[in-house]
């Protein structure tokens, strides 16, 4: 094992002194000698595999040694001091950084997750190699996850997809990112994953033939033009195909770019020359050309992307880059590693981690764990838009960003004094969404009243949002204190309590300590400017109240000063806890039907919207305090909309059979949409009117009996 690792290191670092690798390996092997993995293998196979992944990334000797030792302090009797005395402070520091991350549990408790992620960011900011070791550790664990119980497999896969794959993407390490995503999909949605694998393998032969023709044509033309290039087909990863199907609502047969053609050349000049050749051979599809050489992504990725109508009239994606760009796209930050092979730090390297430094600056101001998680996910997940300053400098912003986001990216003072914006020399509103290539000019005034609280609903970048909140917090403290107190008092009354019931000194002191406030005024101010929600405060006060009084105080009708009587019979079909005569509407995103578990959501000015409890729009809500408990009434007489989808073999008379079944079942049909696919399948979407889920299930059962129907389910 150790020889395999050393041979791999010698491939990229011939002069390396590998004695420390030997020492680390035998030290770890001895430390873990009585330990086994769930697979039954000796535990040393895991740290060895982690070191092998780090060597694949061509990292320095110290990082690889730390990879071998990364579990010693956490899982054995050896200490940080033992590692420091034997291997030095640098390696011990890396092992210590990973050890602190080793016990991260990404459970549903958002606050615990947020605090663990803060530790990760601090470790990353101190030495980025810590997260590289952690990514290698997670990758090997995902490769061997089949030995874990199914429930833990799904949980690990979910956290990998939500946190570790996006971090790998942010660091530009596509080699690790793609594998983490594909492995996660395999355990989160095994049925979808294996179905996709089967479909891709069925189509592989014809795609390979097609791409082979494209590559041959390109080779002949480039040789004729005197351009040296390495041309290869690159199959798309399963997760990227899956994402396209889900987010763009496409069937597998509607996705043509299962394989991209990659052309690697020696210089940037050759990149653009090859692009010219490609566009003379085949017609480019408008809007599908991206120049990431002139405008690199924040994760350092550079390449030219174009999609053309290929030889058989089918779209084909072509990527053009230099060898150096290709190396960066595979290894990301590891390709520019400042410690690597004894090289010193450079300003260029530090600029590549600006996003991490900005996030670290912000995290200290974010007391609300929910807001911290949102900030992190914005920085990790969102797509980007590239715009220009009037001087021609490129600025990267999250997709959907506004001129206000741009202003705060330039400087806090520019954002605070912003009074308007020009895009491409034309005045635009401040909520205008920036487009790639826009030239943005911010109009400022020294007499500006500062940022408006409404801007928080417009901006998309975490940097702008936090700078606006900082200004509001400092400049309008008295106003925020008053507003925060009013918000809390109003919410307390809404929940049926008196202010004196919950605001007791010993309980408040616990909240101040929990959120790091110096005084109750600081807490009021945070609620007033939006740094803390009333729900976060009240839920903890209610916990203390319930510990003493045994159960939650019953909801009181404040106006009448007595308990609410049981709601009168509702005419809407639902009963709403704590409310009478509220306007109700049934949400079209999930079409709830009697028999479904349901949740109510208090909208602004449109009463209460009723959703299914599993509706994705409810699970992603940012204001849980608006959720109310609702239930169906017993004697429902009205009809409700439900949407079902049928997948069947395309055959004559199928639609008439379905229509006849609806007629026979006396179920009204509101809308019908049908489309066929290349593989002789037909998809029929129906919107019907029913009184209960039982009616829907009965209809689906009958539809599935029709000859040729492959599946029928409710959307």
């Amino acid at each position: 094992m150790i020889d395999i690792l050393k041979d791999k290191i010698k491939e990229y670092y011939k002069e390396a002194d590998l004695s420390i690798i030997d020492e680390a390996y035998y030290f770890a092997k001895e430390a873990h000698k009585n330990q086994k993995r769930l697979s039954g293998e000796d535990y040393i196979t895991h740290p060895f595999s982690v070191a092998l992944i780090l060597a694949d990334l061509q990292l320095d000797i110290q990082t690889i040694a730390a990879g071998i030792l990364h579990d010693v302090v956490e899982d054995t009797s050896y200490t940080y001091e033992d590692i420091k005395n034997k291997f030095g402070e640098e390696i011990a520091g890396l092992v210590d950084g990973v050890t602190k991350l080793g016990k991260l549990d990404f459970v549903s408790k958002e606050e615990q997750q947020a605090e663990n992620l803060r530790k990760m960011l601090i470790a990353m900011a101190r030495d980025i190699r810590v997260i590289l070791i952690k990514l290698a550790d997670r990758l090997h664990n995902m490769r061997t996850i089949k030995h874990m119980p199914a429930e833990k497999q799904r949980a690990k896969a979910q956290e990998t997809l939500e946190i570790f794959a996006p971090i790998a993407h942010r660091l530009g390490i596509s080699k690790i990112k793609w594998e983490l995503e594909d492995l996660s999909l395999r355990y989160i949605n095994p049925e979808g994953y294996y179905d996709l694998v089967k479909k891709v393998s069925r189509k592989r032969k014809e795609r390979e033939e097609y791409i082979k023709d494209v590559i041959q044509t390109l080779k002949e033309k480039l040789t004729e033009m005197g351009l040296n290039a390495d041309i290869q087909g690159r199959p798309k990863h399963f997760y990227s195909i899956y994402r396209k199907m889900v987010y763009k609502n496409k069937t597998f047969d509607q996705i043509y770019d299962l394989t991209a053609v990659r052309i690697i050349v020696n210089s940037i000049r050759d990149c653009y020359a090859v692009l010219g050749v490609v566009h003379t051979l085949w017609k480019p599809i408008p809007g599908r050309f991206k120049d990431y050489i002139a405008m690199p992504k924040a994760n350092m990725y550079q390449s030219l992307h174009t999609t053309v109508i290929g030889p058989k009239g089918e779209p084909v994606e072509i990527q053009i880059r230099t060898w150096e760009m290709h190396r960066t796209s595979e290894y990301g930050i590891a390709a520019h590693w400042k410690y690597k092979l004894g090289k010193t730090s450079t300003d260029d390297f530090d600029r590549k981690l600006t996003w991490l430094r900005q996030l670290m600056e912000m995290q200290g101001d974010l007391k609300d764990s929910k807001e911290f998680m949102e900030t992190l996910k914005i920085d990790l997940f969102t797509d980007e838009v590239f715009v220009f300053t009037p001087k021609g400098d490129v600025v990267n912003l999250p997709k959907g960003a506004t001129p206000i986001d741009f202003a705060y990216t330039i400087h806090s003072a520019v954002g605070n004094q912003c009074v308007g914006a020009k895009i491409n020399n034309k005045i635009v509103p401040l909520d205008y969404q920036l487009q790639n290539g826009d030239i943005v000019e911010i109009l400022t005034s020294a007499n500006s009243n500062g940022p408006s609280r409404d801007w928080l609903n417009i901006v998309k970048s975490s940097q702008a949002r936090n700078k606006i909140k900082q200004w509001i917090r400092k400049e309008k403290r008295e106003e925020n204190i008053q507003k925060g107190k009013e918000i809390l008092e109003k919410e307390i009354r809404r929940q049926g309590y008196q202010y004196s019931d919950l605001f007791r000194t010993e309980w408040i002191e616990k909240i101040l300590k929990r959120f790091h406030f110096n005084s109750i005024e600081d807490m009021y101010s945070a609620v007033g400017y939006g740094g803390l929600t009333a729900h976060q405060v009240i839920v903890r006060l209610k916990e203390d109240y319930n510990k003493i009084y045994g159960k939650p105080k019953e909801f009181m009708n404040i106006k009448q000063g007595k308990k609410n009587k049981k709601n009168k019979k509702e005419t809407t079909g639902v009963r709403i806890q704590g409310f009478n005569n509220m306007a109700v509407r049934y949400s079209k995103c999930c079409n709830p039907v009697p028999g479904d578990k349901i949740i109510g959501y208090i909208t602004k000015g449109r009463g209460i919207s009723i959703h299914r409890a599993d509706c994705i729009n409810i699970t992603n809500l940012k204001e849980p305090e608006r959720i109310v408990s609702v239930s169906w009434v017993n004697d429902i007489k009205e009809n409700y909309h439900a949407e079902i989808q049928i997948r069947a073999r395309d055959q004559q008379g199928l639609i008439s059979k379905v229509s006849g079944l609806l007629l026979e079942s006396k179920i009204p049909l509101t809308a019908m949409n049908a489309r066929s696919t290349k593989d002789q399948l037909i998809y029929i979407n129906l919107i019907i009117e029913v009184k209960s889920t039982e009616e829907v299930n009965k209809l689906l059962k009958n539809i599935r009996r029709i000859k040729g129907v492959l599946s029928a389910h409710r959307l």
Side-chain angles (χ1 to χ4, degrees):
M1 286 167 69
I2 191 65
D3 290 337
I4 292 169
L5 178 60
K6 290 197 293 187
D7 287 345
K8 187 170 279 291
I9 297 169
K10 285 175 187 172
E11 285 175 15
Y12 65 90
Y13 195 4
K14 289 184 173 62
E15 304 84 24
D17 177 7
L18 300 180
S19 58
I20 201 164
I21 298 294
D22 280 309
E23 286 180 47
Y25 176 77
Y26 291 111
F27 185 89
K29 190 175 181 181
E30 176 64 23
H32 292 297
K33 67 179 178 183
N34 296 320
Q35 296 174 342
K36 299 279 186 185
R37 303 203 85 214
L38 288 175
S39 62
E41 295 175 296
D42 289 339
Y43 194 88
I44 189 63
T45 58
H46 170 62
F48 165 75
S49 300
V50 169
L52 215 52
I53 292 167
L54 295 169
D56 273 336
L57 293 175
Q58 301 189 0
L59 285 166
D60 57 294
I61 302 301
Q62 289 75 17
T63 307
I64 295 169
I68 297 171
L69 299 164
H70 80 275
D71 274 338
V72 168
V73 174
E74 185 178 334
D75 292 336
T76 76
S77 58
Y78 288 100
T79 65
Y80 166 79
E81 289 300 325
D82 294 329
I83 304 295
K84 182 180 171 185
N85 292 335
K86 186 159 182 65
F87 297 99
E89 198 165 342
E90 185 180 355
I91 291 174
L94 291 170
V95 173
D96 185 52
V98 180
T99 302
K100 286 177 180 173
L101 301 184
K103 298 194 179 188
L104 292 184
D105 279 325
F106 293 94
V107 293
S108 58
K109 294 175 183 174
E110 198 169 46
E111 285 181 32
Q112 186 179 348
Q113 186 183 29
E115 291 310 311
N116 285 332
L117 284 170
R118 283 184 203 265
K119 290 176 189 172
M120 181 187 286
L121 286 172
I122 291 164
M124 284 169 67
R126 189 175 65 244
D127 193 327
I128 199 72
R129 291 179 293 179
V130 169
I131 199 63
L132 297 179
I133 297 169
K134 187 63 187 174
L135 286 171
D137 172 55
R138 176 51 61 107
L139 178 56
H140 184 248
N141 281 332
M142 286 300 296
R143 286 174 178 174
T144 55
I145 200 173
K146 65 181 179 183
H147 301 289
M148 294 181 81
E151 194 176 327
K152 285 193 174 181
Q153 287 175 354
R154 282 191 295 274
K156 281 284 180 195
Q158 194 65 46
E159 79 179 36
T160 299
L161 198 58
E162 288 182 356
I163 303 297
F164 289 101
I167 286 176
H169 171 68
R170 210 60 167 88
L171 296 174
I173 313 173
S174 61
K175 194 179 177 72
I176 287 181
K177 177 210 174 208
W178 289 119
E179 191 175 351
L180 286 176
E181 286 179 338
D182 283 357
L183 287 167
S184 298
L185 178 62
R186 181 176 170 183
Y187 291 99
I188 291 170
N189 183 359
E191 191 180 326
Y193 174 81
Y194 286 111
D195 180 55
L196 193 56
V197 170
K198 197 188 298 178
K199 285 174 177 172
V200 169
S201 65
R202 270 206 310 265
K203 213 168 181 181
R204 179 170 284 135
K205 194 172 181 183
E206 60 179 275
R207 288 299 300 170
E208 282 176 353
E209 287 299 318
Y210 178 62
I211 293 300
K212 198 174 172 184
D213 290 346
V214 172
I215 290 173
Q216 187 57 40
T217 305
L218 277 167
K219 276 182 178 174
E220 289 171 6
K221 191 68 178 175
L222 292 177
T223 303
E224 185 187 314
M225 302 292 291
L227 290 165
N228 291 322
D230 181 82
I231 310 172
Q232 51 198 238
R234 182 187 69 83
K236 285 285 180 79
H237 296 271
F238 295 119
Y239 184 72
S240 67
I241 299 168
Y242 175 81
R243 264 181 69 94
K244 196 170 280 190
M245 288 168 67
V246 171
Y247 291 104
K248 295 191 177 178
N249 199 23
K250 289 186 174 183
T251 64
F252 180 77
D253 298 292
Q254 292 173 309
I255 295 174
Y256 295 100
D257 53 344
L258 296 175
T259 312
V261 172
R262 182 180 289 152
I263 305 172
I264 308 175
V265 292
N266 295 320
S267 68
I268 293 175
R269 183 179 174 181
D270 287 351
C271 287
Y272 289 100
V274 169
L275 178 69
V277 171
V278 170
H279 284 180
T280 55
L281 281 172
W282 302 294
K283 192 173 182 178
I285 297 175
R288 295 294 301 273
F289 169 67
K290 293 184 179 72
D291 188 344
Y292 294 120
I293 294 179
M295 293 183 287
K297 290 186 179 183
N299 65 1
M300 302 167 292
Y301 179 86
Q302 286 184 288
S303 195
L304 297 176
H305 286 202
T306 186
T307 303
V308 296
I309 302 297
K312 295 178 183 176
E314 283 190 20
V316 58
E317 184 188 334
I318 294 176
Q319 302 169 356
I320 308 164
R321 61 180 67 151
T322 66
W323 286 104
E324 181 60 30
M325 290 171 195
H326 179 60
R327 179 171 167 69
T328 300
S329 79
E330 294 287 303
Y331 300 104
I333 203 79
H336 298 264
W337 180 237
K338 64 179 175 181
Y339 291 93
K340 192 170 187 176
L341 312 187
K343 291 179 185 176
T344 56
S345 170
T346 62
D347 291 341
D348 182 53
F349 178 86
D350 292 329
R351 275 198 299 274
K352 296 178 196 310
L353 291 177
T354 300
W355 66 275
L356 178 58
R357 194 180 67 249
Q358 288 173 346
L359 195 56
M360 282 303 303
E361 287 170 2
M362 282 178 226
Q363 67 90 22
D365 292 323
L366 300 176
K367 294 183 171 64
D368 178 0
S369 57
K370 183 180 170 187
E371 186 181 8
F372 171 72
M373 288 298 291
E374 285 173 10
T375 298
L376 178 68
K377 286 177 181 179
I378 285 169
D379 276 61
L380 288 180
F381 299 150
T382 50
D383 291 331
E384 292 176 311
V385 62
F386 300 90
V387 295
F388 295 95
T389 68
K391 290 182 178 178
D393 296 324
V394 179
V395 176
N396 299 8
L397 290 165
K399 195 169 184 179
T402 65
I404 302 171
D405 292 288
F406 177 90
Y408 279 104
T409 301
I410 301 303
H411 198 279
S412 299
V414 176
N416 292 338
Q417 294 180 3
C418 172
V419 292
K422 283 184 179 180
I423 304 295
N424 306 323
N425 254 352
K426 292 180 181 177
I427 298 282
V428 296
L430 288 176
D431 62 355
Y432 167 85
Q433 290 196 357
L434 299 174
Q435 305 298 313
N436 278 322
D438 279 346
I439 300 171
V440 188
E441 182 184 349
I442 300 298
L443 308 176
T444 61
S445 169
N447 299 320
S448 161
N449 292 324
S452 160
R453 199 180 295 272
D454 293 336
W455 287 8
L456 292 171
N457 300 321
I458 297 171
V459 294
K460 286 288 184 281
S461 66
S462 54
Q463 185 180 9
R465 182 173 284 106
N466 284 290
K467 286 182 178 179
I468 293 166
K469 284 184 177 178
Q470 282 174 16
W471 189 90
I472 294 171
R473 184 166 71 239
K474 288 173 186 173
E475 301 294 325
K476 299 190 175 183
R477 179 172 166 79
E478 291 307 316
E479 184 184 320
N480 290 331
I481 290 171
Q482 186 59 35
K483 185 173 182 181
K485 193 171 182 182
E486 287 171 6
I487 290 170
L488 282 165
E489 287 176 350
K490 187 177 177 182
E491 182 61 18
I492 286 168
R493 286 198 302 274
R494 193 187 74 79
Q495 296 199 27
Y497 293 84
Q498 297 295 329
Y499 189 82
S500 57
D501 288 337
L502 300 180
F503 269 68
R504 301 187 186 179
T505 306
E506 62 274 22
W507 299 349
I508 292 297
E509 282 176 356
K510 282 160 65 177
I511 290 177
L512 298 183
K513 188 176 179 183
R514 167 67 188 83
F515 292 107
H516 312 294
F517 293 122
N518 295 321
S519 66
I520 194 168
E521 285 77 17
D522 288 345
M523 184 186 76
Y524 286 145
S525 178
V527 174
Y529 70 73
L532 189 69
T533 65
H535 174 77
Q536 287 176 285
V537 176
I538 293 169
V539 75
R540 284 172 175 78
L541 293 175
K542 281 165 67 176
E543 282 173 8
D544 287 321
Y545 181 95
N546 296 339
K547 282 175 190 173
I548 293 174
Y549 297 104
K551 60 179 181 177
K553 191 174 181 183
E554 291 184 69
F555 189 91
M556 298 289 288
N557 185 314
I558 303 303
K559 287 184 180 177
Q560 297 175 2
K562 60 184 180 180
K563 292 178 189 176
N564 263 341
K565 292 180 181 177
K566 190 175 181 182
N567 286 347
K568 292 177 183 177
K569 185 178 175 182
E570 300 284 346
T571 57
T572 59
V574 293
R575 182 176 292 115
I576 305 161
Q577 184 181 324
F579 294 88
N580 279 325
N581 303 320
M582 283 288 286
V584 166
R585 64 187 187 89
Y586 296 93
S587 189
K588 290 183 180 177
C589 56
C590 57
N591 289 323
V593 167
D596 291 331
K597 288 182 180 178
I598 50 173
I599 284 178
Y601 178 71
I602 304 170
T603 64
K604 294 178 181 177
R606 293 182 295 166
I608 293 178
S609 64
I610 308 298
H611 294 255
R612 276 163 44 186
D614 59 354
C615 175
I616 194 167
N617 290 327
I618 280 290
T619 55
N620 289 337
L621 277 178
K622 296 179 180 176
E623 299 176 275
E625 63 271 18
R626 291 176 175 269
I627 291 176
V628 291
S629 181
V630 294
S631 58
W632 298 104
V633 297
N634 293 326
D635 51 344
I636 295 169
K637 293 178 182 176
E638 54 190 308
N639 283 342
Y640 297 81
H641 284 127
E643 186 173 0
I644 63 175
Q645 186 179 80
I646 303 164
R647 184 171 70 98
R649 294 188 185 89
D650 198 352
Q651 57 186 316
Q652 197 171 356
L654 178 66
I655 291 177
S656 63
K657 286 178 187 175
V658 172
S659 302
L661 190 56
L662 289 169
L663 199 62
E664 187 184 316
S665 306
K666 297 181 181 177
I667 292 176
L669 175 66
T670 304
M672 177 187 281
N673 180 26
R675 59 184 171 82
S676 58
T677 64
K678 281 187 177 180
D679 53 1
Q680 302 299 305
L681 293 180
I682 185 168
Y683 287 81
I684 305 170
N685 283 43
L686 308 172
I687 297 178
I688 54 175
E689 291 185 9
V690 291
K691 287 189 170 61
S692 68
T693 51
E694 286 179 19
E695 240 182 312
V696 181
N697 293 335
K698 188 177 177 183
L699 175 66
L700 289 171
K701 194 174 178 182
N702 290 332
I703 288 173
R704 291 182 193 120
R705 288 174 179 159
I706 296 175
K707 190 177 178 182
V709 169
L710 302 173
S711 66
H713 63 278
R714 183 175 164 202
L715 295 178

